[in-house]
Amino acid sequence: MVLLDGKKTANDIKEEIALEVSSLIENGQKKPHLAAILVGNDGASETYIHAKVKACHKVGFESTLIRLDNSVSESELLSEIKKINNNSDINGLIVQLPLPDHIDEMKITQAINPQKDVDGFHPENIGRMVLNIPTYLPATPAGILELLQRYNVVTSGKHCVVIGRSHIVGSPISILMARNTNVGNCTVTLTHSRTENLKEITKTADILIVALGKAEFVTEDMIKDGVCIIDVGITRVKSTVTKSGWKLLGDVSFEEVKDRCSFITPVPGGVGPMTIAMLLKNTLKSAKKMIY
Ligand code: NAP
């Protein structure tokens, strides 16, 4: 079994980005600049946003964090987005999800200028992804592709089963794995909570991508020998062993399945760090005007 080490790979990518930033600056250009909007103070969102800001500093990007109170109105949030859309010093904008219930997430996603949409969630960028036109790919699916590519996992002709059909992970990765591209050319089955005989389907997977948010859902009896497993899930559970009092679990029972896999991502240290690295890569692409 080969461990798909997202932490190491993400660090390699960050080093590559840092080198590119140095050469941009040497050529008299500005540092890439990412703006992030955080609404409220949800613990998990705080952790994610701080990891993103820290990663910006590590590669030499400028970053701006805009914090808004949980009670901010939708129109106030929209006007913050408009300001950033019009600020030519800022290359990328992300709005940390989830948002409070009184704010329409889709409306917010659509308000971001597609040229600055480094999360790759805007319908225009999703459309470009489907049509295989250069775009900002959503960061988590892009991180999965990058891991598969850097570890030379063969995808062409393979059966890829995806569990979960969210807009940010399951649906886009199923499209990307089926595209006629270097990592791709899979025969894809997209499964969800209404899927019948899930176990029969997952047992036929050469590549199994799991993104449903249920800790240790995939067990040994659901896979075949030699499968490559990408575990996207992150669930925080209480722990009496760790100092912090909690630990992270993936959607796959890692210890149960690992010896039967050809490749597998750990949690933590698999897809999570790759997501942040891809966000940085998209911001660099925006600064270099590689997409639009
Ligand atoms: P989500 O929006 O919570 O959707 C979950 C999906 O799983 C839905 O499509 C749902 O089906 C499906 N599902 C639920 N129960 C199922 C079952 N028993 N059998 C088959 N399918 C089932 O998903 P998400 O936002 O993609 O998040 C999934 C997990 O990935 C979470 O743990 C999240 O924290 C993690 N995540 C990690 C990263 C990272 O960077 N590593 C990034 C994003 C998300 P229906 O559509 O039928 O309801």
Side-chain angles (χ1 to χ4, degrees):
M1 177 273 286
V2 175
L3 199 67
L4 297 170
D5 188 340
K7 195 172 172 191
K8 182 195 171 296
T9 310
N11 280 334
D12 292 347
I13 293 167
K14 284 184 202 160
E15 279 174 20
E16 292 159 19
I17 293 173
L19 280 178
E20 288 207 48
V21 173
S22 306
S23 85
L24 281 181
I25 293 165
E26 272 167 28
N27 291 328
Q29 286 178 256
K30 285 186 202 152
K31 292 176 175 180
H33 187 163
L34 176 69
I37 300 181
L38 175 63
V39 179
N41 48 13
D42 170 72
S45 293
E46 290 266 1
T47 308
Y48 293 140
I49 214 85
H50 283 294
K52 290 169 188 175
V53 169
K54 199 171 144 199
C56 280
H57 293 152
K58 188 167 177 191
V59 298
F61 285 6
E62 200 75 57
S63 73
T64 299
L65 174 58
I66 297 154
R67 288 174 160 278
L68 299 172
D69 194 80
N70 210 41
S71 62
V72 71
S73 69
E74 191 176 272
S75 61
E76 285 167 320
L77 176 55
L78 287 168
S79 86
E80 277 301 329
I81 292 172
K82 201 170 172 187
K83 271 192 241 161
I84 298 171
N85 282 345
N86 293 331
N87 182 342
S88 59
D89 285 338
I90 294 177
N91 306 106
L93 166 61
I94 56 169
V95 177
Q96 185 66 41
L97 302 178
L99 291 168
D101 289 345
H102 65 277
I103 297 178
D104 179 348
E105 274 185 15
M106 194 44 80
K107 204 166 171 183
I108 298 304
T109 301
Q110 291 188 52
I112 296 172
N113 178 351
Q115 300 183 15
K116 297 190 181 187
D117 169 42
V118 288
D119 258 337
F121 295 162
H122 191 284
E124 185 171 326
N125 287 320
I126 299 281
R128 291 168 73 110
M129 174 191 77
V130 174
L131 297 170
N132 208 358
I133 298 169
T135 186
Y136 303 117
L137 294 181
T140 303
I144 294 171
L145 297 187
E146 191 86 22
L147 259 185
L148 293 171
Q149 187 187 358
R150 289 187 184 232
Y151 279 86
N152 297 312
V153 176
V154 175
T155 60
S156 181
K158 302 296 179 191
H159 184 204
C160 174
V161 176
V162 178
I163 308 182
R165 57 177 163 185
S166 70
H167 294 323
I168 60 168
V169 187
S171 292
I173 194 63
S174 66
I175 292 165
L176 291 165
M177 293 302 285
R179 288 196 315 184
N180 183 2
T181 47
N182 181 21
V183 176
N185 283 312
C186 285
T187 304
V188 176
T189 304
L190 178 57
T191 69
H192 44 77
S193 68
R194 308 285 179 92
T195 298
E196 292 178 359
N197 304 325
L198 181 65
K199 196 201 287 191
E200 299 316 310
I201 299 169
T202 56
K203 275 168 98 168
T204 67
D206 302 306
I207 298 168
L208 181 59
I209 302 178
V210 194
L212 78 160
K214 292 192 173 158
E216 301 189 324
F217 178 85
V218 171
T219 44
E220 207 239 346
D221 56 329
M222 294 174 73
I223 62 161
K224 75 171 179 186
D225 285 331
V227 64
C228 166
I229 297 186
I230 305 291
D231 187 354
V232 183
I234 304 175
T235 304
R236 250 174 224 242
V237 293
K238 285 194 175 144
S239 166
T240 50
V241 182
T242 60
K243 250 196 226 164
S244 61
W246 53 267
K247 63 175 178 176
L248 299 181
L249 288 179
D251 284 350
V252 177
S253 295
F254 183 88
E255 287 303 323
E256 240 184 69
V257 305
K258 68 177 198 301
D259 293 329
R260 291 184 54 209
C261 297
S262 52
F263 298 88
I264 185 167
T265 55
V267 176
V271 176
M274 291 301 292
T275 298
I276 295 184
M278 292 300 111
L279 175 70
L280 298 173
K281 214 166 172 179
N282 279 345
T283 306
L284 180 67
K285 283 181 182 170
S286 174
K288 291 174 78 179
K289 304 208 179 312
M290 287 168 71
I291 307 289
Y292 287 93

